[in-house]
């Protein structure tokens, strides 16, 4: 039995864990902790200093701290009326959350929708409501984990199709019949953009429905930041749109759309909505204000595209294999976790901070340092990132990464 000591409360005693759990930890986690990570949590590097270039967040249009957002948040805190914390399914039409839902629907061009505790909860709750054991779900192989967990929650048969390959999806639906197609608009690990028009056409061909997770395109793409579906004129052909509001919206919530006719069905069947408490009024007020800011942020969207194009071109010229994406997320896929930790550490020594992604966020041995760009990056900061990557290239040898070797093999086979 483990005994812990605390000077204020005296010894604290934990009861013994089960042998099954201890065996599982020893088998599945201990080798990774002791050998691969060398006793240090893989995701935790050094602390950023005041002059660090932070490329480890998702506030793509730099709205955090915007005066309008701060003012709305403060007013809701200081002048808010009586409020009951309860499940969101109890909220009436006049509640501020309902106004937020309508604002988002007006923004993206959908009839109705639901605000949830997170993007994860949104995807799980939506798929749980619209699928069951008789509904095949076709997921892009790089679809976000929350989408796979949504299929699991629905007890639905989940079928992966090759990343961004509508032809493979077509063949899969031909064999297994109509169901629900699930894609990300912009993929969170690579910055690859979905060939959404082709995916919609395949879905329509087989009489299915399609769910598009717009977490990394809402705010950054489309007219007024309305997303990739709106940008491509596909909103009326997409059945469901979901999004984390913790990316460009820079809050702590999620959202999914649904026809108005489904509203009370969703409120009666979506477990994350039923069994989670609603957002607090200051959060709702800040999110509404942020959406107003984002709809007017064309200058910031243009700047983000310029930053993305410049940095991607410069990084590719240095020999880093980042060909798998095009958008504001840049994946430096070193492959193994030790190689990725080395990459992270060398960047942090030079004041450049990205975020490690590894299993279960990626496939095994496809670990990466993810750099997420934002519209407020200065020319000096961009130059510093490029110079840092140039300095460490002889150390991390990006031309030897597995993804670089695979690219060379594919190029040779296609030539």
């Amino acid at each position: 039995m483990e005994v812990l000591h605390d000077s204020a409360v005296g010894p604290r005693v934990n009861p013994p864990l089960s042998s099954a759990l201890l065996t599982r930890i020893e088998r599945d986690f201990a080798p990774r902790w002791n050998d691969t990570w060398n006793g240090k949590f893989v995701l935790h590097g050094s602390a950023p200093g005041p002059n660090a270039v932070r490329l480890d967040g998702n506030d793509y249009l730099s709205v955090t701290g915007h005066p309008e957002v701060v003012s709305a948040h403060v007013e809701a805190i200081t002048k808010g009326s009586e409020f009951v914390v309860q499940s969101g399914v109890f909220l009436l039409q006049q509640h501020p959350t309902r106004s937020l839902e309508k604002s988002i629907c007006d923004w993206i061009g959908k009839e109705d929708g639901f605000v949830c505790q997170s993007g994860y909860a949104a995807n799980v709750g939506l798929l749980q409501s619209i699928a069951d054991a008789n509904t095949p779900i076709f997921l892009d192989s790089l679809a976000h984990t929350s989408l796979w967990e949504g299929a699991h929650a629905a007890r639905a048969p989940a079928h992966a199709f090759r990343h961004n390959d509508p032809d493979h999806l077509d063949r899969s639906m031909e064999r297994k019949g109509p169901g629900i197609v699930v894609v990300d608009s912009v993929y969170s690990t690579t910055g690859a953009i979905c060939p959404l028009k082709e995916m919609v056409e395949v879905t329509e061909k087989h009489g299915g429905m399609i769910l598009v997770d717009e977490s990394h395109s809402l705010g950054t793409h489309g007219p007024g930041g309305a997303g990739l579906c709106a940008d491509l004129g596909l909103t009326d052909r997409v059945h469901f749109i979901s999004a984390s509001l913790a990316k460009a919206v820079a809050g702590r919530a999620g959202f999914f759309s649904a026809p108005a006719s489904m509203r009370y069905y969703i409120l009666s069947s979506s477990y994350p909505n039923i069994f989670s408490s609603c957002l607090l009024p200051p959060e709702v007020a800040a999110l509404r204000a942020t959406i107003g800011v984002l709809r007017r942020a064309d200058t910031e969207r243009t700047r983000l595209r310029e930053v993305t194009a410049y940095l991607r071109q410069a990084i590719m010229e240095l020999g880093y294999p980042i060909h798998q994406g095009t958008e504001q997320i840049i994946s430096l896929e070193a492959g193994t976790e030790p190689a990725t930790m080395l990459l992270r550490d060398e960047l942090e020594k030079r004041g450049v901070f990205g975020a490690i992604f590894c299993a279960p966020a990626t496939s095994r041995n496809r670990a990466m340092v993810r750099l997420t760009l934002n519209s407020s990056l200065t020319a000096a900061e961009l130059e510093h990132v490029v110079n840092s990557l140039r300095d460490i290239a002889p150390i991390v040898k990006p031309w030897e990464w597995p993804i670089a070797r695979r690219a060379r093999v594919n190029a040779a086979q296609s030539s």
Side-chain angles (χ1 to χ4, degrees), residues 95-385:
H95 192 274
T97 297
R98 191 70 183 116
S99 179
L100 172 62
E101 291 171 343
K102 291 177 179 178
S103 293
I104 299 174
C105 291
D106 178 67
W107 186 21
I108 67 174
K110 279 299 185 183
E111 185 179 35
D112 203 355
F114 300 81
V115 169
C116 311
Q117 288 282 10
S118 66
Y120 191 101
N123 282 334
V124 171
L126 173 58
L127 282 167
Q128 182 202 33
S129 292
I130 64 176
D132 59 18
N134 299 312
T135 310
I137 299 182
F138 304 92
L139 300 108
D140 186 286
S141 59
L142 292 188
H144 193 270
T145 296
S146 60
L147 296 162
W148 290 92
E149 287 300 299
H152 178 73
R155 307 295 191 267
H159 307 287
F161 61 90
R162 283 195 294 268
H163 176 51
N164 274 352
D165 190 338
D167 292 333
H168 190 219
L169 170 63
D170 187 19
R171 294 193 296 273
S172 185
M173 296 189 79
E174 187 71 41
R175 293 192 303 271
K176 298 177 174 66
I180 301 171
V181 175
V182 176
V183 297
D184 290 33
S185 54
V186 174
Y187 285 87
S188 61
T189 54
T190 63
I193 199 163
C194 178
L196 194 52
K197 180 175 182 293
E198 291 81 359
M199 296 297 185
V200 169
E201 289 171 347
V202 171
T203 302
E204 292 173 340
K205 172 184 174 182
H206 294 281
M209 298 187 295
I210 186 166
L211 160 59
V212 180
D213 185 328
E214 292 243 40
S215 294
H216 295 276
S217 55
L218 184 64
T220 59
H221 292 64
L228 185 65
C229 294
D231 195 30
L232 300 177
L234 296 172
T235 302
D236 292 342
R237 297 167 66 185
V238 169
H239 297 79
F240 305 98
I241 292 173
S242 67
S244 165
L245 303 183
K247 314 307 178 187
V249 186
R252 187 183 61 122
F255 172 85
F256 65 84
S257 73
S261 61
M262 289 182 62
R263 181 159 194 85
Y264 294 105
Y265 166 73
I266 294 286
L267 293 178
S268 303
S269 60
S270 175
Y271 282 11
N273 288 74
I274 296 170
F275 297 108
S276 295
S277 295
C278 60
L279 301 183
L280 301 179
E283 296 176 306
V284 173
L287 288 168
R288 283 203 67 191
T290 302
I291 290 167
V293 170
L294 290 174
R295 295 184 74 162
R296 307 191 304 269
D298 288 342
T299 299
E300 288 76 12
R301 277 184 280 275
T302 298
R303 175 60 181 165
L304 180 62
R305 287 193 292 271
E306 293 170 349
V307 164
T308 298
Y310 169 79
L311 197 54
R312 279 192 167 276
Q313 182 63 34
I315 292 174
M316 285 189 290
E317 289 176 357
L318 293 175
Y320 287 83
I322 61 169
H323 52 277
Q324 68 272 42
T326 58
E327 305 307 294
Q328 72 273 10
I329 299 166
I330 298 178
S331 168
L332 303 177
E333 189 181 305
T336 67
E337 289 175 357
T340 306
M341 293 171 77
L342 172 65
L343 171 63
R344 184 268 314 280
D345 292 345
E346 292 298 328
L347 283 170
E348 290 184 356
K349 287 178 185 177
R350 293 158 178 81
V352 177
F353 285 76
I356 280 187
F357 275 49
C358 60
T362 70
S363 301
R364 187 172 177 271
N365 289 327
R366 298 203 69 167
M368 63 185 68
V369 171
R370 191 182 78 165
L371 308 179
T372 49
L373 311 183
N374 63 76
S375 60
S376 64
L377 287 167
T378 66
E381 288 173 325
L382 294 172
E383 184 179 6
H384 179 71
V385 173

Side-chain angles (χ1 to χ4, degrees), residues 387-400:
N387 288 338
S388 298
L389 287 167
R390 180 183 294 109
D391 289 346
I392 69 173
I395 302 172
V396 301
K397 298 180 174 59
W399 46 86
E400 295 181 2

Side-chain angles (χ1 to χ4, degrees), residues 17-36:
L17 301 175
S18 70
S19 59
L21 175 56
L22 291 172
T23 298
R24 178 182 173 190
I25 293 172
E26 186 65 25
R27 181 192 68 223
D28 298 341
F29 179 71
R32 199 177 185 194
W33 176 267
N34 294 322
D35 302 330
T36 306

